[in-house]
Amino acid sequence: MKAMTRMFILSLTLAIASLAGLRGLSQQPDVIIRPRIEQETRLAVADFVARATANDATETALKVFNEVLWNDLKFCAFFNLLSKNFYPLKTLRSPQDVDFENWRSSQLDADFLIFGNLQADAAAVVVEAYLYDVKTGQQVLGKRYRIEDSRLMRRVAHEFSDQVVYQLSAGTSKGVARTSIAYTSARGGSKEIFVTDYDGWNARSITANGGLNKFPDWARDNSRLAFVTSLQGSGRWELWIQNLKGGKNVVKVPSSFVSSPSFSPDGNKIAYSTRAESANDPDLFISDPDGGDRRNITRHPGIDTSPSWSPTGQQIAFISDRSGTPQVWVVDADGSNLQRLVNEGGHCDSPNWSRDGRFVAYSWQAPTQWKHDIYLVDVSTGKIFQLTSGNSSNEHPHWSPDGRHIVFQSDRSGSKQIFIMNADGNNLRQVTAQGSNEGPAWSGYAGE
Amino acid sequence: MKRYAVFFSVVLLFASSPAWAGTKEEIIRLQSDVLQLQNQLRVLQKNVEENGSVLKTLLEQLNDQVAKNQVALEGMTQGLQAQKADVGQSLGEVRRDLQNLSVKWDDTNNRIAAIHQKLEENQMRLSSLREVPSESEGAAVEPDQIYNAAYNDYLMGNYDLAIASFQDFLSNFRDSELSDNALYYLGVSFQNQGRYEQAIQAFDQVINLYPKGDKTPNAHYKKALTLQQVQKNTEAIEAFKKLATLYPESQEAAMARAELEKLGVSLEEPARRRR
């Protein structure tokens, strides 16, 4: 209880401090991510140690666990992770080993402390993980994990990281350590859909049909992936919905062209770009995931593509060239109330609506340039923020489910690869490195 | 302790600042803060409930313990004084524990009450922010800032807040260029809440007050859809027809014509008959 109250007051302080700070310093508004990425909470993460006897299996598991946990907590952008150089030398195995006074020292001044132990034997790996409030000396979290397959070591570290984020953000974020990213990977002549853990590990193929598979999008509960497929020699595109527990269905569409599917927030509808029977130009359509109840919501001679739903499912952001060049537009899901959201000339692509409804991320190619960069537009004010810059092309932004990060593709490393960053453009991390990868989509939370 | 000090000083700074010159960002942030506070309150309440159930379990265990002690007491046919004294003492301890627990429980309740109060204070600040200072010397709140905050609530699906904000906007800035938009989104917010009569009223106001407004075809269309939702199908058809006749070039008119066709209603006939 005390810890929660403290956290509450801490985050209230953070919230109000951020307001107060803004009153004094009005030069810093830019993109504000709530809670702010101020890394206000000082978190110490002591290396986990062997509980009893050190053996090779324990050493290997420890190495993986410590590295993954550190990287997760660093990337989540909630904490100021305190450098291990300043930690007290005493090994922490269990709560009675902690001398909180040392962790409160002015040099370290930790707010919270993570430590624990791990033991591997022939049968299983057991991890005991603790989160303590350094100021009060009280336990915030105590978890014991038992895994029989040491390949799940990363998973355990991810899970504990998410628990820490959830507790210390007072439920604001569930963390992203256990989320996944789907993308298109070029393999020889074909393009297949792949899914990887958010940190680039555990990549596995979803399709292996040797054709072209593109534009994956997740149902928010992670049960299904929608994408478009052109099988070799077929000369036509199809809209597929792959159930990740097995089985797929091909959505009936009215023409041989279909592109950029997007699941509605409740997963009961799917929006995509296709040509109506009588038209030459693609319009946006919404239908049930089986293709039933299909409605054209744009009906315009221009090219309409790349739909992305608002979090309420009421609106859809999309790309249309009806004004001359491809720009970001918004239309109600019933087809009425069309508005232009971005009107900057040049070439916009791939809008993606944030989970809190405030921003639409998109890529933009300025009229005089060959490359794209990632931008956000504040939907209510129309104000635009640039997130990436430099000589490389950055495209296809997609929000993380907690709204604090964005995944995108970039050719900054030479070939097209997948990267993630904070929603304010900082904290870049490369996800893929092999081959050529594009069109990423960040998963939701399983069971949501 | 340092944290608390920081917290209170920030609150003081916050409370004592003169004439809240609210800017759009601050309103949005305050709203998002209130939302967060509500979330956190929910987490806290859940925690209290959990504590309550822990307490209940403890009480049950204590009761069991008391019961056991009594059984043991009855079982002691020898009736040794010393043992009786022991039992009495442990009962006393149990009572003391219970008292301690109830003190802690009160403490928790007090904290919740304090947080409630804080939340209410913040909500009051928020509503006072919305009340536009009429002639105060501070920087005037721009109408479009209020409008954007309301629209933002609409986008997030916070329809209660959106309705309150659009209404505030309309009562303060009736002559604004954004009034027809505010009325329109007020209507859509009502519609999303299932308050269909109020939604239709708002759409009618857009239609009647702003016949040349850019949201007027939308208002006709949404009014027709809302009428369908309350099974007023004849009136819905009339609304679709009106839209198709008055704004034939609009996207909404095209959708109205498609809808009428689906319903098997001809657009032309009744008009001709009347002539």
Side-chain angles (χ1 to χ4, degrees), chain A residues 43-48 62-63 65-71 81-89 103 108 114:
Chain A
L43 178 64
V45 185
D47 275 340
F48 281 47
L62 275 172
K63 192 167 178 297
F65 185 90
N66 284 325
E67 185 184 310
V68 173
L69 181 64
W70 181 269
N71 287 339
L81 279 201
L82 302 176
S83 163
K84 293 184 182 180
N85 294 339
F86 298 111
Y87 292 1
L89 291 174
W103 295 88
L108 207 52
I114 287 171

Side-chain angles (χ1 to χ4, degrees), chain A residues 12 23 34 332 336-337, chain B residues 17 33 37 40 215 222 252:
Chain A
L12 192 70
R23 289 157 59 81
R34 313 288 315 176
D332 282 9
S336 68
N337 199 22
Chain B
S17 62
D33 286 339
L37 291 179
Q40 287 161 346
K215 290 290 178 213
K222 286 285 202 282
E252 285 72 24

